Amino acid sequence: MFILGIESSCDDTGVAIVKNGKEVLINLISSQEKIHAKFGGVVPEVASRKHMEMIFPLVDEALTRAGLTYKQIDAIAVTVTPGLLGSLLVGVNAAKVLGYLWGKPVISVNHLLGHIYAGELGGRLVFPLVALVASGGHSEFVLMTKHGDYKYLGGTRDDAAGEAFDKAARVLGLGYPGGSAIAKVAKRGGASLPRPLSASAQIDFSFSGLKTAVARAKGGKAELAYEFQEAVTDVLIDNFTKAIKKYKPKMILMGGGVSANKVLRAKLESLAADFGVKLILPEMKYCTDNAAMIGAAAYYIRSPKQDKWYNAEVIV
Ligand code: KG4
Ligand code: ZN
């Protein structure tokens, strides 16, 4: 089964073709990072217009490079939510137009689910699992007991982890996107920052105060960047620990842009080893927004009969 995935929820236009939910034939991304960098964040109107420009050329290119014709595509999967409305509309309408013209079903996929299924592109999901999706817009812990069964466990009260990196980087004058900028300059030093809500028994955290703490803290940029990265990753690991103790998963995994963070990846590896649980850390290219994960998710949210999709609305 060949699924054409489309992702346009934020500032990256993605088109991919995924075979049987696992094998990525082609994964194209048109990044708008440079365009938005000068504004210090994503400008929604600019993002939508750029998606409109890129989306159909990327579909053509994906088919050509995968050596397929549209007739060989079995379904089109598209991110429907959450995301920037204007950006989502471009992807959804492109998918509907293609579905109509090609006579193929269009499957709606939740973006966060896509980030979880990025794990299938480099491993195999083992249930029950606890996943953390941490990106510029989200920091959510999810429990999955089987394909199609998701439970929200908790997350940030305010800023998402990636957003916190972006804001702290702005305070430190390090540019955008903040995650990679902070990781690049971080150097161990004497700076000290709080670990907000680490005493809470719930899976529950807050990052909005950290930005202010960075602004007020004493220390050089590199030391503050280091300590900030330590604080955010400690809080996420603390919450993973609570989830492991409570739900006893066989596997933990991460998705979203923040999972590209090397310090966090190392901490997750030792956490998984300590508790004897399996771990999937997607390849970097599947951590950030991409369409391959959307194609993969659509495959696995099909019913066992393989003739209809559940937890996903077939929109054409
Ligand atoms: O998943 P993503 O590409 O887009 C969203 O859906 O938001 O995530 C982007 C976010 C940005 O906030 C960025 O600062 C963060 O992921 N990020 C990182 C790293 N690389 C990207 N955060 C921490 N460390 C990184 N190495
Ligand atoms: Zn994302």
Side-chain angles (χ1 to χ4, degrees), residues 134-192:
S135 67
H138 301 280
S139 294
E140 261 120 33
F141 279 89
V142 175
L143 173 70
M144 275 182 84
T145 50
K146 58 179 196 245
H147 292 297
D149 182 42
Y150 329 99
K151 186 176 170 213
Y152 172 73
L153 298 180
T156 181
R157 286 189 185 181
D158 38 57
D159 292 353
E163 184 182 0
F165 270 100
D166 295 337
K167 286 181 175 171
R170 200 177 309 162
V171 168
L172 293 172
L174 294 172
Y176 172 87
S180 41
I182 285 186
K184 207 159 128 192
V185 302
K187 213 165 147 220
R188 191 183 203 126
S192 160

Side-chain angles (χ1 to χ4, degrees), residues 259-280:
S259 45
N261 188 279
K262 294 208 171 83
V263 171
L264 182 56
R265 291 170 88 93
K267 287 183 182 179
L268 281 167
E269 270 162 17
S270 47
L271 180 74
D274 287 350
F275 282 94
V277 295
K278 291 183 196 304
L279 169 71
I280 299 187

Side-chain angles (χ1 to χ4, degrees), residues 111 115 135 289:
H111 182 77
H115 275 302
S135 67
D289 288 353

